[in-house]
Amino acid sequence: MPIVEAHILEGYGPDDKKRLTSALTDAIRFVVPAPDEAITVMLHEYPPENYARGGEQRTPAPALPDPAKLVRAYLDAMEARDLETARSMLAPEFSMTFPGTGPMTTLAELLDWAKDRYRSVAKTYEAVEAFHSEGAAVVYTRGTLSGEWPDGTPFSGIRFIDRFAIRDGRITQQDVWNDIAEVRAQ
């Protein structure tokens, strides 16, 4: 029965602490073959005035946004064509790659590329999965696409997977895989 104790400064909210204990439980499960209910995670909180590093008192950094929620908010903004909101979630070094494209760095490039592919598109999500890898939060979304071809004919049930990388609470990369070309060719 693994027991994990973590020491944090006071100041994180209940949702942030729940995310932290869940992430620590997941980290243990990557290595130890124990069911979730056998893993105990305890957070010990300390007031900032009881902590110093380098001889200076420190305050806790704000929690990063939940990467899965950030990605869903971005995709929802894109679907609603709220481009200003979507753009605000992107890092300056953002790039995206869609089927058949090289890297694009602006939402305007994406919209220009997509205009001949479909009139509208919406996503139905089967899963949104987040984890940490090599200094970035990584989020995969998968499900099906529906919408209209440029001539107005409806389509649905097209598989997709999107992979996002997030650093410092902003999306740095989006890679997209889907079967639109294969379905359209039929």
Side-chain angles (χ1 to χ4, degrees), residues 81 98-101 110 113-123 143-150 153-162 176-186:
R81 290 299 184 251
F98 281 67
T101 74
L110 171 63
W113 169 79
K115 71 180 182 223
D116 295 327
R117 291 178 61 90
Y118 44 76
R119 181 183 291 178
S120 66
V121 68
K123 294 182 175 187
T144 57
L145 302 172
S146 60
E148 291 183 358
W149 298 118
T153 305
F155 65 84
S156 63
I158 299 175
R159 299 177 311 161
F160 79 88
I161 295 175
D162 292 350
V176 175
W177 297 269
N178 63 51
D179 294 334
I180 281 183
E182 289 76 10
V183 171
R184 190 169 181 192
Q186 296 173 1

Side-chain angles (χ1 to χ4, degrees), residues 25-65:
T25 299
D26 288 345
I28 295 299
R29 291 279 293 126
F30 267 121
V31 178
V32 178
D36 289 348
E37 61 273 6
I39 300 169
T40 301
V41 175
M42 293 184 277
L43 298 179
H44 301 281
E45 292 184 275
Y46 296 94
E49 62 269 12
N50 290 353
Y51 169 77
R53 187 175 66 236
E56 293 185 33
Q57 287 188 324
R58 310 287 177 145
T59 57
L64 292 170

Side-chain angles (χ1 to χ4, degrees), residues 89-91 93-96 165-167 170-174:
M89 299 176 200
L90 305 178
E93 68 275 17
F94 173 73
S95 71
M96 60 190 142
I166 296 118
R167 291 184 192 273
R170 309 271 301 274
I171 300 169
T172 60
Q173 184 177 351
Q174 178 182 8

Side-chain angles (χ1 to χ4, degrees), residues 55-99:
E56 293 185 33
Q57 287 188 324
R58 310 287 177 145
T59 57
L64 292 170
D66 180 327
K69 288 182 181 177
L70 175 69
V71 165
R72 278 302 308 270
Y74 167 76
L75 292 170
D76 290 347
M78 288 297 295
E79 188 173 323
R81 290 299 184 251
D82 182 355
L83 301 181
E84 194 57 42
T85 296
R87 197 174 291 112
S88 73
M89 299 176 200
L90 305 178
E93 68 275 17
F94 173 73
S95 71
M96 60 190 142
T97 304
F98 281 67

